[in-house]
Amino acid sequence: MSDRQYDVLGLGNAIVDVIARADDDFLAKENLNKGSMMLIDEPRAESLYARMGQATVMSGGSAANTIVGLASFGAKAAFIGKVRADETGHAFAHDIRAMGIHFPTSPAQDGPTTARCLVLVTPDGERTMNTYLGACQKLGPDDVDEATVKASAITYLEGYLWDPEEPRAAMREAIAIARAAGRKVAFTLSDNFVIDRHGDDFRALLTDGKIDILFANDGEIRTLMQTDDFEAAVAAAAPLVKTLVV
């Protein structure tokens, strides 16, 4: 289609990463499992942040990082993700727009604050992540800018965002708009725990022909296709999409 404005549009969690150095004693004191990712609530995020050392703050989120990477290679990119109209949300919006990325999502005026991932890096390079999803979980179908989806060659969806009900509806809306416009849809499975909860949905998307490009790792593709045999999992998934990246 000649009216394409963007190479890739990403839908995902709009998260601000707060990165600080820490030692193993600090992790033990805070009852943190080294190298893991844990979902936390806002009070826990506030209390842990107060005890962290000097931190570097930067915008993040799985799909958002992918879109920023594409933009850095010269792609024309866009991103849809929910923040709140608070200091952290303004920082996220500023950072992603400063990369030349179209970011049409209106910030929430109330409700949960902007999402944060508190990342503790130990001297051995291990990252221990504590994620407060906050406003991310309020992304809804009304936030999906129809004109942006129609103007994007590929709409790229983040599996993590499938978990909460409102963002799941937003992603279904984006898929419907993209397919009606003759655009491609890409999907990344994100994590085994997401597939454990929503594997039936993901398999239905594939068998219904709604996904053109699928990204997975070894464990994710085996979990999705319900087999311990890696080669069998790839063979089962490959006919369901135009492009499979494992």
Side-chain angles (χ1 to χ4, degrees):
M1 295 173 65
S2 59
D3 57 346
R4 187 185 82 185
Q5 292 179 260
Y6 308 107
D7 298 305
V8 183
L9 160 68
L11 267 76
N13 288 321
I15 300 176
V16 172
D17 292 335
V18 182
I19 305 168
R21 298 284 179 181
D23 57 24
D24 289 346
D25 289 341
F26 181 84
L27 299 186
K29 186 177 180 180
E30 295 295 330
N31 294 314
L32 299 175
N33 183 17
K34 184 176 179 178
S36 68
M37 192 285 283
M38 179 184 297
L39 292 177
I40 58 176
D41 59 18
E42 187 170 5
R44 173 60 170 156
E46 294 291 348
S47 66
L48 183 59
Y49 176 67
R51 290 191 286 275
M52 289 171 62
Q54 185 176 3
T56 300
V57 179
M58 62 182 67
S59 297
S62 174
N65 284 338
T66 299
I67 295 302
V68 168
L70 287 167
S72 74
F73 296 144
K76 293 180 180 178
F79 180 74
I80 291 174
K82 198 71 172 179
V83 298
R84 185 172 161 179
D86 52 23
E87 184 178 355
T88 307
H90 294 320
F92 180 93
H94 171 271
D95 286 354
I96 201 160
R97 287 174 178 147
M99 289 295 299
I101 296 165
H102 177 55
F103 181 53
T105 317
S106 298
Q109 299 301 315
D110 52 27
T113 55
T114 298
R116 282 156 283 164
C117 182
L118 308 181
V119 185
L120 297 162
V121 183
T122 42
D124 58 3
E126 282 279 2
R127 297 181 306 157
T128 303
M129 297 180 285
N130 302 268
T131 305
Y132 162 62
L133 290 173
C136 287
Q137 299 179 88
K138 296 301 180 183
L139 181 76
D142 290 344
D143 293 307
V144 178
D145 186 69
E146 183 175 358
T148 302
V149 178
K150 288 181 174 179
S152 302
I154 300 171
T155 293
Y156 172 75
L157 307 172
E158 174 186 333
Y160 285 127
L161 202 59
W162 200 267
D163 224 23
E165 185 175 350
E166 287 184 71
R168 192 183 320 140
M171 295 174 83
R172 289 193 184 278
E173 176 74 6
I175 291 171
I177 294 170
R179 301 223 67 83
R183 303 303 197 184
K184 291 182 178 180
V185 176
F187 193 89
T188 178
L189 292 170
S190 294
D191 199 291
N192 278 342
F193 80 82
V194 181
I195 306 167
D196 287 338
R197 289 202 281 269
H198 304 289
D200 288 343
D201 277 353
F202 296 164
R203 286 183 285 272
L205 289 174
L206 295 175
T207 55
D208 291 345
K210 294 183 178 179
I211 305 299
D212 300 288
I213 305 165
L214 180 67
F215 294 92
N217 64 22
D218 180 328
E220 291 161 2
I221 199 68
R222 288 187 288 109
T223 301
L224 181 70
M225 303 317 293
Q226 299 176 303
T227 176
D228 291 331
D229 187 322
F230 173 72
E231 296 295 340
V234 171
L240 302 177
V241 290
K242 294 177 182 176
T243 304
L244 175 63
V245 183
V246 182

